[in-house]
Amino acid sequence: MTSPFSHSLLASALAFGIAFSTAAPAFAEPNKQVQADAEQYKDEALKLLEQLVNIDSGSGYEPGLTQVRDIVVAQLKALGATIEMIPNTAPDKSQHVVATLRGTGNAKILLMAHMDTVFKEGSAAARPFHIKDGRAYGPGVMDDKGGIVAGLYALKILKKLDFKDYAQITFLLDASEETGSAAATALIQKVAKQHDVTLNLEPGRPADGLVIWRKGSATAVVEVKGKASHAGVAPELGRNAAMEAAHQILQLGKLGDAEKKTTINFTVLNAGDRTNVIPDQATAKADVRAAVPEEFDRIEKDLARVSADKLIPDTQVTTRLERGLPPMPQTPETDKLVDIAQGIYGEIGRKLTIEGSGGAADASLSAGVGVPTLDGFGIVGGNIHTPEEYAEVDSVSPRIYLLTRMIMELATRTPGK
């Protein structure tokens, strides 16, 4: 039976301290079969990664996203998954994928990754997949095609082991994570509520880390109405909307709070189109990040309050806050998930760094509906969203091991009702 997280098996287990101890034991020995399979699949995984990276799949580029989707869906069907495809928000014609595997246990585990990248059409041809000095390069190699590959090969190992001690594993593949479509948001929130725990397959941090908190995102919009006039003949008759917008940027840009990890950075300014005309309209937009939801409420109120202080008389200034992804907070439940992950990585002589991020991600949506969520289970890499984006080749097998064993541990630690 599907139920909201507040009534899920794992929630009950966490509440009574059944599913997780406060500190997971250090495992002395690795699971030899999982370790061997993770090593054996490394070259095959890299070939699949190369195939995916060499396909342009920037957000909204339907031909490339369809190619990636078809490759991944074929792999998932071969593993026995049932497939549902959900249309994206028009006019984007791409599709999200929800793949489901049924087992014989109790735990409902959600894996998430995304098929879209930030790179334009033509990037794959200009910078195709290649390996140099132990690092794989190419558009989206670690964000998030490496995460897709890690998820597929963890599921392949589970199938090879005939491991079915879970009730359900769902692999959700977002086609628009980089742009945050309304369709993806609603889908993730709906699916996450049906699960006990979420493992997000965003890239492992450069120091081999997991992400336990993320900031939420929003956009502050400032609109100014002034009065046009000739900039040379009668500038005094105008009301310069650009000057007022500049004034607002300077004062509203101070609304961040370093102690609370709140930032506001103005990044877009539009005003005027001719140098000899005093502009009568201007718009400024700022990227806003916050670690707690209350800070968005505070920023929204302060935008209206502070913007009342104007530099140019007789201009009209309006502000609004367009909220994006919510924060993913660190919680006692995620700390317990970290304990398990550290114990698993310790089995193969490795240690995870535990980090936060100013970047928002789909994990925020899962956490936002109350589902314990841990992020960063993809392949380790760095220089995200740049032409120098890379993935560490030597992280492929350890990360597949970590994800496979994490699924196994979560499945066996979730008790029945």
Side-chain angles (χ1 to χ4, degrees):
M1 181 177 117
T2 297
S3 60
F5 171 73
S6 59
H7 299 98
S8 71
L9 297 174
L10 186 58
S12 301
L14 288 172
F16 293 102
I18 299 172
F20 304 114
S21 62
T22 55
F27 295 93
E29 295 294 330
N31 183 305
K32 297 293 188 183
Q33 188 59 58
V34 174
Q35 186 178 32
D37 288 340
E39 289 291 343
Q40 179 185 338
Y41 279 136
K42 179 181 177 180
D43 289 343
E44 187 179 313
L46 285 169
K47 288 179 182 177
L48 177 60
L49 182 59
E50 178 177 10
Q51 185 181 11
L52 296 177
V53 168
N54 286 340
I55 299 170
D56 287 313
S57 61
S59 304
Y61 183 56
E62 188 267 337
L65 285 164
T66 298
Q67 279 187 274
V68 170
R69 183 202 70 198
D70 289 348
I71 291 168
V72 175
V73 165
Q75 297 262 346
L76 289 164
K77 284 183 176 178
L79 293 171
T82 57
I83 305 294
E84 181 182 7
M85 288 186 274
I86 295 88
N88 209 336
T89 307
D92 189 331
K93 295 181 180 179
S94 61
Q95 292 181 312
H96 311 294
V97 176
V98 178
T100 305
L101 292 164
R102 303 287 182 185
T104 58
N106 297 312
K108 295 180 180 179
I109 301 166
L110 174 61
L111 309 180
M112 292 196 300
H114 63 91
M115 299 177 287
D116 63 323
T117 75
V118 298
F119 299 102
K120 296 179 181 178
E121 183 183 355
S123 297
R127 296 182 289 103
F129 179 92
H130 66 281
I131 296 174
K132 181 181 178 181
D133 298 329
R135 288 178 171 177
Y137 293 88
V141 68
M142 49 85 88
D143 184 30
D144 186 33
K145 292 178 178 180
I148 294 173
V149 169
L152 286 172
Y153 278 88
L155 295 179
K156 286 189 179 188
I157 292 175
L158 293 178
K159 183 175 177 62
K160 187 176 179 181
L161 295 174
D162 196 28
F163 182 88
K164 296 182 180 178
D165 292 345
Y166 52 84
Q168 177 178 325
I169 296 175
T170 302
F171 197 177
L172 190 156
L173 294 127
D174 184 356
S176 59
E177 191 271 349
E178 300 292 359
T179 56
S181 76
T185 296
L187 175 65
I188 291 167
Q189 290 171 330
K190 175 185 175 182
V191 174
K193 288 178 182 179
Q194 300 167 1
H195 292 77
D196 300 314
V197 63
T198 299
L199 305 178
N200 198 33
L201 310 187
E202 283 286 313
R205 311 303 282 180
D208 206 357
L210 294 178
V211 176
I212 58 171
W213 62 263
R214 286 184 179 273
K215 291 184 180 181
S217 62
T219 300
V221 181
V222 181
E223 295 177 324
V224 181
K225 290 184 179 180
K227 182 180 179 182
S229 67
H230 196 293
V233 176
E236 71 281 358
L237 297 181
R239 296 293 180 265
N240 197 316
M243 292 281 287
E244 181 59 40
H247 168 67
Q248 294 296 338
I249 286 172
L250 291 175
Q251 64 178 4
L252 298 178
K254 298 176 182 178
L255 294 180
D257 187 326
E259 285 190 9
K260 294 182 179 179
K261 301 185 179 72
T262 304
T263 59
I264 177 167
N265 290 292
F266 279 89
T267 52
V268 177
L269 174 61
N270 293 298
D273 56 7
R274 288 170 291 174
T275 58
N276 63 347
V277 177
I278 299 294
D280 62 352
Q281 293 198 22
T283 303
K285 294 183 179 182
D287 177 275
V288 182
R289 306 282 168 147
V292 292
E294 309 86 76
E295 275 294 274
F296 287 128
D297 297 335
R298 196 265 303 171
I299 288 285
E300 189 169 37
K301 292 176 183 176
D302 284 354
L303 285 170
R305 176 180 60 80
V306 175
S307 65
D309 177 8
K310 295 186 289 187
L311 176 69
I312 308 297
D314 301 323
T315 54
Q316 297 178 31
V317 179
T318 58
T319 64
R320 67 179 184 273
L321 190 69
E322 298 175 348
R323 304 192 188 211
L325 291 170
M328 171 185 158
Q330 181 178 355
T331 67
E333 288 77 20
T334 55
D335 288 343
K336 291 166 186 174
L337 292 173
V338 167
D339 288 341
I340 296 173
Q342 283 286 26
I344 289 169
Y345 227 33
E347 294 174 358
I348 53 175
R350 289 176 172 256
K351 184 176 176 62
L352 293 160
T353 61
I354 306 303
E355 307 176 32
S357 175
D362 285 342
S364 302
L365 295 170
S366 173
V369 295
V371 180
T373 301
L374 200 53
D375 199 354
F377 278 93
I379 294 171
V380 175
N383 292 338
I384 190 170
H385 290 190
T386 75
E388 293 75 38
E389 182 174 312
Y390 68 87
E392 299 284 2
V393 171
D394 285 345
S395 76
V396 172
S397 294
R399 281 299 176 128
I400 292 173
Y401 179 90
L402 172 64
L403 181 58
T404 306
R405 289 281 297 112
M406 192 73 181
I407 295 169
M408 294 170 73
E409 284 295 310
L410 291 173
T412 57
R413 288 170 183 246
T414 304
K417 286 185 176 179

